[in-house]
Amino acid sequence: MKSKSRLFSTIAVHGGEEPKFPIGAVAQPIYQTSTFVFESTSKVKRFQEGDPSLYLYTRYGNPTIRAAEEKIAQLEGGEAGLVFTSGMAAISTTILTLCSTGDKILATRSLYGGTHHLFMSILPRLGIQVNYIDSETLEPFAKLVDRSTKVFYIETPTNPNLKIVDIKKVVALAKKHNLTTVIDNTFATPYNQKPIKMGIDVAIESGTKYLAGHSDLIVGTVVGKKSFIKKASYFRKILGGSCDPMGAYFLLRGMKTLALRVEKQNQNGMAIAKFLEKHPKIKRVYYPGLPSHPQHKLAASQMQGFGGMITLEVGGGLKGATKVIDSFKLILNASSLGGVQSLASLPVLTSHYGFSKEDLKKADVSTGMVRLSCGIEDTPDLISDLKQALNKLK
Ligand SMILES: *Cc1c(COP(=O)(O)O)cnc(C)c1O
């Protein structure tokens, strides 16, 4: 289904899915099969020569997975897409597609924990070095970029401080030095942020979060130019991070309501951030939609909505934060994000567990922080849960 002139939610519902399914089915059929029958050996040859209507083995490709790939590519505004068995499979396969021994990666400092581990403990064993620059200032860029630097990897907004990386500036710097730009767009989603349209080469999502949206699935996506996706598809096939047809179906189903859910999460995020900012027990609120956020203007210039992720800081350090999170009656103490259920977690016990005092300071993470992923519940119910929990603080 061509979608050039169609708007976001129409694409979310119809994009990538064939106009007619077998037997008049309205929903995408789940091709839960590992392998495919060929009517004749001449068709095997046609498959090997690249006929896209034929399938051989689900790790290489599958019609249900294909539909999810087309849909996410259209939602991100890119040429082509791939679906993986997890966000981490999407990230590691992308990096291995782009980098060889001797290559370097430049990355903004605040990264998802799994990505940080990949960069710090696995890539160095392959002779791939990662250098870090500040997420806000992008310094010291000139000092760290050289002929071996191949990839500029960013994440915005960052976890858990919700700092904003200047996407336009990243694209301009990368162009000068011929770097491939990669963004982890998970926190923003393609509804709130369209990095490919701003010139980023590759957009990755942990589909586990907002795309699938119901905290019931692990999945990842990658969108980019056709030439890159073709290469990455080969790497996925060999490294084995392909997704299961059932997982692709749940991803497809989740993406259909992405705009509705994220719109509500944007509203909840803004309302809750405003409530928290005025609350006497709160030391600081991190939310890019608040005019008091130091990069609010930049956020407003590159995001269409500010999202459902908020970090709040209470007095009394870990003790205070623990008191708040253990007092919630509605909001769940769980570490993921992006689902319909509101979840809260303590960064020092999850994403930044085991960090030394010094490293926490470097990462700008405090023991009194609570990270909140707003779900789609009614705003007054979430605010009254926060209110009663904060009242428990001395
Ligand atoms: C969860 C997450 C990932 C990893 O995704 P998985 O689906 O858990 O493998 C990567 N980046 C960000 C920003 C995430 O939140």
Side-chain angles (χ1 to χ4, degrees):
M1 206 174 266
K2 278 277 164 273
S3 62
K4 282 250 151 57
S5 58
R6 295 203 167 139
L7 301 178
F8 194 89
S9 264
T10 311
I11 295 170
V13 173
H14 296 284
E17 303 193 42
E18 297 192 16
K20 272 189 188 160
F21 292 127
I23 337 180
V26 168
Q28 167 71 45
I30 305 164
Y31 291 95
Q32 192 70 31
T33 181
S34 59
T35 187
F36 296 83
V37 177
F38 287 99
E39 285 161 27
S40 65
T41 303
S42 67
K43 288 215 168 165
V44 183
K45 204 161 163 260
R46 263 177 48 200
F47 168 84
Q48 297 294 8
E49 285 162 3
D51 182 337
S53 71
L54 297 172
Y55 295 90
L56 183 138
Y57 188 60
T58 284
R59 176 158 47 77
Y60 306 1
N62 172 294
T64 311
I65 300 171
R66 187 71 248 149
E69 291 172 342
E70 287 274 326
K71 197 188 288 290
I72 186 60
Q74 292 180 20
L75 290 175
E76 301 267 20
E79 287 179 9
L82 288 173
V83 171
F84 290 81
T85 191
S86 68
M88 281 314 300
I91 293 166
S92 57
T93 306
T94 295
I95 294 300
L96 293 176
T97 303
L98 292 170
C99 296
S100 307
T101 302
D103 289 344
K104 289 181 189 158
I105 296 172
L106 198 60
T108 44
R109 191 166 281 115
S110 314
L111 294 177
Y112 175 71
T115 309
H116 189 68
H117 281 278
L118 172 70
F119 285 5
M120 295 316 285
S121 52
I122 297 184
L123 294 187
R125 291 178 48 191
L126 308 178
I128 300 165
Q129 188 190 322
V130 183
N131 290 312
Y132 288 99
I133 55 174
D134 186 83
S135 304
E136 288 167 294
T137 61
L138 302 178
E139 293 295 344
F141 180 86
K143 238 189 203 163
L144 296 175
V145 72
D146 64 28
R147 278 164 179 273
S148 312
T149 314
K150 294 288 157 66
V151 169
F152 195 167
Y153 189 97
I154 67 167
E155 215 173 278
T156 181
T158 65
N159 176 45
N161 343 56
L162 299 151
K163 289 181 185 173
I164 306 296
V165 178
D166 189 334
I167 298 176
K168 263 194 199 152
K169 203 165 156 190
V170 165
V171 169
L173 285 169
K175 215 170 226 165
K176 260 199 213 157
H177 297 270
N178 216 11
L179 311 177
T180 300
T181 45
V182 179
I183 188 171
D184 180 334
N185 201 41
T186 302
F187 269 42
T189 83
Y191 182 73
N192 280 336
Q193 186 164 273
K194 304 204 166 38
I196 296 225
K197 292 196 171 156
M198 299 179 74
I200 293 282
D201 297 306
V202 180
I204 299 178
E205 310 270 345
S206 166
T208 308
K209 316 295 165 53
Y210 288 97
L211 299 187
H214 294 73
S215 308
D216 55 4
L217 180 66
I218 302 284
V219 74
T221 68
V222 172
V223 171
K225 294 199 182 67
K226 273 190 185 144
S227 52
F228 165 74
I229 290 296
K230 198 171 165 201
K231 230 173 140 185
S233 170
Y234 169 76
F235 274 75
R236 179 186 66 173
K237 173 171 118 178
I238 303 308
L239 295 170
S242 315
C243 142
D244 179 82
M246 188 67 89
Y249 173 78
F250 279 117
L251 173 63
L252 270 170
R253 181 182 160 126
M255 286 193 286
K256 287 180 204 283
T257 55
L258 183 65
L260 294 175
R261 287 183 284 104
V262 174
E263 193 59 49
K264 177 73 184 173
Q265 283 158 320
N266 286 344
Q267 286 167 15
N268 275 341
M270 189 64 94
I272 289 169
K274 280 185 178 160
F275 159 77
L276 290 171
E277 195 174 37
K278 280 193 235 125
H279 198 285
K281 299 274 170 69
I282 296 287
K283 270 174 75 178
R284 188 167 165 194
V285 186
Y286 300 77
Y287 186 68
L290 288 176
S292 62
H293 186 287
Q295 295 170 289
H296 174 65
K297 274 203 182 124
L298 174 61
S301 76
Q302 65 183 33
M303 300 178 82
Q304 288 81 58
F306 300 109
M309 298 304 296
I310 303 173
T311 295
L312 51 117
E313 200 175 341
V314 295
L318 184 58
K319 221 174 145 198
T322 303
K323 184 87 192 161
V324 170
I325 205 165
D326 283 346
S327 302
F328 287 141
K329 293 183 173 146
L330 176 64
I331 299 165
L332 305 170
N333 181 347
S335 75
S336 191
L337 62 114
V340 292
Q341 316 86 344
S342 290
L343 307 179
S345 61
L346 303 179
V348 290
L349 289 185
T350 53
S351 56
H352 293 73
Y353 183 69
F355 275 46
S356 68
K357 257 192 179 161
E358 213 169 82
D359 286 343
L360 282 180
K361 203 165 178 206
K362 253 195 228 160
D364 249 331
V365 173
S366 88
T367 52
M369 277 182 175
V370 179
R371 191 189 77 176
L372 184 63
S373 165
C374 299
I376 63 164
E377 300 94 337
D378 290 295
T379 320
D381 288 332
L382 293 174
I383 288 184
S384 67
D385 198 29
L386 281 157
K387 219 181 245 176
Q388 64 82 22
L390 289 168
N391 279 344
K392 302 250 163 73
L393 284 176
K394 282 199 198 92

